[in-house]
DNA sequence: GTGAAAGCGCTAACAA
DNA sequence: TTGTTAGCGCTTTCAC
């Protein structure tokens, strides 16, 4: 039924080894026999069996990608960066959703080890002890994309979230605000809790503004949550005049909440976001936002992984990409 | 180094065959030996090699997913549905982006055949002759998700786009509009050209409204395009008073274009969308929209594929899911 | 209920 | 430059 390397060898009057050589581009083949083999391959429509190849060579040219949720625009963008570079280096991607559950992450790692992937790109908002341990025993290289392992044991690609948050909040402080809220996604996320929040605190501290716990809300990371958070915050006796939002959805929720209550942005309140997805331009006013280069983070992660898979020596496995603030209209 | 089935067999004093049986849940194993084997498996941390298994059994428990662009929220939602059901049936997904290029789609099909996937879910806005031909010669079952093959040769999962468009436009006609624009994504997409447009035409025709070519624009499917399209349409001497948008981004672009020009929605113009992504609630006014159940389309596609992979007999390979219109505030 | 043995389709020494 | 020959780790008859 299916044509194998053996069929090609027979038809071309050469050995399997020779066919294997031409298929794999090995230069040690006389041009005339190469041509002969190539002709037979075309005639028979021979297509190498990657599974057999994987078993024999112990390399599958596929990498595993563990992602919290591919339907989340944030992660989808990361995934695209990963896939593009994977394709460039001739790898396929096995993609699985973890829903951010440690148990699922670990099970997926095992599953991927079983599938003999050559490497893994993992995204997780919370790299737990147990997950770290599992990764430490991985038979293949792993790179974290847009995810923080505070022990720095696992290679990773990120931006300097703390510094970026610091700059964002300063942008607000520079406009004279004293009552600045931090509306964040859940603090179970290491990045939210240990970096963005820390940047927020540092900025306030340096400006001599006392931290007010009432002004920080770490709820869900969603549009609805942004609306709720605004509602809650606006009821404060000493309500905030500026908002540092942890994501675009949160920022838009805040803006719509405020607008629905008759407030003007940025005249009455100012909002700075942290993400800069395509959503940032799809609101009025458009969002001033920290640019999180998700595609690049994904792409660089995959590139880094190819180096590890090639056993190249990597100078620094912890890479920090540059960030910047895109000025639009939600901040004066 | 790695522990194989042979190691387990030796340690447990049984044959490879027996280990294989317990690993695969074959009932023909005495409970006591099953336990003995299971213990050794645990002690040695044995993990079956899926590649070897695939070679021997000719089944890889992985399915290929060919998608135009995973970073597109539309397709990401579809992909999530696919992946969830795949996981439920113990399949892994190999995900590749085609960027909607026929050449890439065909190359990806070949690549996936080579990887010995057990089945394929394909998404494509335009199922060409050549692609159809390639799929016709597929060694494994293929299902189209949210994609139309007009020859109906390939199983597929969709909604009744024509009817849905028809209903959407009637929603506008019922409000008294005579000048109704159709702002669409590219007409290279079969669904846009042959179904949504046809539904639009039918509704107008039945209402005795003459089709005005100036009122249909099939540009890019993006927010910016929506803004541009509004701008162009609003300059007409006899400008439209209502808009049927092919997607949420387009609808939001139209609304923002109009609002930036001082128009009120839905007082001055009304807009109905076709998608109902999470974006639909993230504008003011929120979008009235045809509900395109993307997640379900993905899920049902994968479920259908599992049936084919199991060689179950399927009554009807062309499945049409129900749709409805979600009423919100962009239409009175 | 269990084992022996023959592949699955290919790569990679090693020889020639 | 080319061929021979072991495997890679597992499933699957077929016997017993």
């Amino acid at each position: 039924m299916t044509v194998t390397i053996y069929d090609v060898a027979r038809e071309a009057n050469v050995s399997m080894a020779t066919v294997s050589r031409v298929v794999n581009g090995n230069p040690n083949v006389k041009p005339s026999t190469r041509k002969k083999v190539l002709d037979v391959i075309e005639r028979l429509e021979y297509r190498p069996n990657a599974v057999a190849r994987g078993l024999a060579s112990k390399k599958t040219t596929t990498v595993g990608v563990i992602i919290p949720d591919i339907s989340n625009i944030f992660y989808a963008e990361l995934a695209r960066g990963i896939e593009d570079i994977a394709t460039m280096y001739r790898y396929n991607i096995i993609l699985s959703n973890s829903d951010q559950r440690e148990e699922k992450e670990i099970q997926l790692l095992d599953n991927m080890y079983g599938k003999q992937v050559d490497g893994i790109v993992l995204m997780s908002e919370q790299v737990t002890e147990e997950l770290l341990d599992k990764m430490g025993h991985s038979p293949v290289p792993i790179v974290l994309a847009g995810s923080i392992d505070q022990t720095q044991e696992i290679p990773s690609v990120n931006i300097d979230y703390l510094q970026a948050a610091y700059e964002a909040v300063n942008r607000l402080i520079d406009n004279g605000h004293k009552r600045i809220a931090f509306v964040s996604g859940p603090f179970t996320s290491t990045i939210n809790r240990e970096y963005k929040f820390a940047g927020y605190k540092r900025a306030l501290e340096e400006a001599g503004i006392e931290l007010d716990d009432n002004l920080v809300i770490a709820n869900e990371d969603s549009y609805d949550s942004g609306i709720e958070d605004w509602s809650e915050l606006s009821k404060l006796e000493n309500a905030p005049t500026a908002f540092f939002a942890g994501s675009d959805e949160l920022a838009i929720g805040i803006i719509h909440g405020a607008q629905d209550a008759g407030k003007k942005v940025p005249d009455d309140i100012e909002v700075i976001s942290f993400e800069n997805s395509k959503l940032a331009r799809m609101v009025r006013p458009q969002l001033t936002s920290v640019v999180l280069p998700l595609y690049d983070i994904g792409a660089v992660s995959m590139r880094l992984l190819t180096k590890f898979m090639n056993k190249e020596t990597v100078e620094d496995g912890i890479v920090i990409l540059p960030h910047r603030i895109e000025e639009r209209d939600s901040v004066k």
Side-chain angles (χ1 to χ4, degrees), chain A:
Chain A
M1 183 60 243
T2 61
V3 9
T4 74
I5 200 174
Y6 182 76
D7 299 317
V8 176
R10 181 168 32 71
E11 291 289 312
N13 289 310
V14 296
S15 69
M16 291 164 55
T18 297
V19 178
S20 178
R21 288 189 187 97
V22 344
V23 167
N24 292 297
N26 184 317
N28 295 331
V29 181
K30 190 163 49 166
S32 65
T33 71
R34 176 186 306 280
K35 176 166 181 359
K36 186 171 59 177
V37 171
L38 251 15
D39 287 348
V40 174
I41 285 178
E42 181 160 11
R43 179 157 61 78
L44 266 45
E45 296 187 348
Y46 167 69
R47 190 188 301 120
N49 179 323
V51 173
R53 193 190 287 219
L55 184 58
S57 68
K58 299 186 166 304
K59 301 204 278 106
T60 56
T61 62
T62 102
V63 317
V65 175
I66 297 176
I67 197 167
D69 177 12
I70 191 62
S71 71
N72 182 318
I73 181 176
F74 181 99
Y75 290 113
E77 190 69 29
L78 264 167
R80 186 46 141 117
I82 293 167
E83 212 271 331
D84 278 1
I85 304 305
T87 296
M88 183 174 301
Y89 285 88
R90 307 255 115 107
Y91 285 95
N92 282 113
I93 241 76
I94 293 186
L95 190 297
S96 295
N97 297 103
S98 69
D99 286 318
Q100 201 54 246
R101 285 168 43 218
E102 180 198 50
E103 158 209 357
K104 190 100 185 283
E105 291 170 329
I106 287 174
Q107 171 204 318
L108 286 174
L109 280 175
D110 266 325
N111 175 38
M112 297 199 165
Y113 297 158
K115 289 264 175 168
Q116 313 300 121
V117 297
D118 296 335
I120 292 172
V121 177
L122 175 63
M123 282 152 276
S124 180
E125 292 177 5
Q126 191 182 190
V127 179
T128 62
E129 280 286 331
E130 197 163 349
L131 183 56
L132 214 46
D133 180 67
K134 192 77 189 176
M135 292 192 286
H137 294 92
S138 173
V140 293
I142 299 185
V143 171
L144 296 173
S147 311
I148 296 276
D149 147 32
Q150 291 186 289
T151 69
Q152 307 224 356
E153 286 170 27
I154 310 286
S156 63
V157 179
N158 289 284
I159 66 165
D160 185 341
Y161 304 104
L162 195 156
Q163 174 67 19
Y166 170 80
E167 290 168 13
V169 176
N170 269 331
R171 186 73 185 67
L172 265 13
I173 290 173
D174 290 346
N175 278 5
H177 294 281
K178 303 283 183 216
R179 300 288 293 166
I180 301 173
F182 175 36
V183 176
S184 173
F187 270 8
T188 46
S189 154
T190 306
I191 291 174
N192 289 342
R193 188 185 63 248
E194 303 291 333
Y195 295 81
K196 294 189 203 168
F197 186 40
Y200 168 79
K201 283 191 294 191
R202 180 187 294 175
L204 294 187
E205 191 176 351
E206 288 187 6
I209 302 174
E210 197 172 353
L211 177 68
D212 179 349
D213 286 339
N214 293 316
L215 261 31
V216 351
I217 302 190
N219 210 326
E220 250 185 77
D221 192 344
S222 69
Y223 173 72
D224 288 335
S225 196
I227 292 183
E228 276 176 41
D229 296 346
W230 185 85
S231 160
E232 186 170 327
L233 257 7
S234 65
K235 290 189 193 114
L236 257 32
E237 82 286 15
N238 194 358
T241 57
F243 297 76
F244 169 42
S247 73
D248 286 348
E249 281 201 41
L250 244 16
I252 297 177
I254 292 167
I255 289 176
H256 282 168
Q259 290 174 337
D260 289 351
K263 299 286 187 188
K264 299 281 182 217
V265 183
D267 296 327
D268 300 331
I269 65 166
E270 298 189 60
V271 179
I272 192 163
S273 180
F274 195 111
E275 179 171 352
N276 195 48
S277 66
K278 71 193 322 189
L279 293 183
R281 297 197 310 113
M282 293 173 65
V283 228
R284 296 305 147 93
Q286 298 188 341
L287 303 179
T288 291
S289 177
V290 169
V291 177
L292 225 190
L294 294 168
Y295 181 91
D296 296 344
I297 289 176
V300 172
S301 300
M302 186 62 215
R303 177 64 184 108
L304 184 58
L305 185 60
T306 63
K307 291 182 184 170
F308 286 119
M309 293 189 297
N310 276 337
K311 304 198 186 322
E312 296 175 27
T313 52
V314 173
E315 58 305 336
D316 192 2
I318 308 291
V319 0
I320 301 297
L321 262 25
H323 65 268
R324 63 187 178 80
I325 292 181
E326 176 76 33
E327 298 284 347
R328 280 189 283 252
D329 309 317
S330 62
V331 173
K332 281 187 226 169

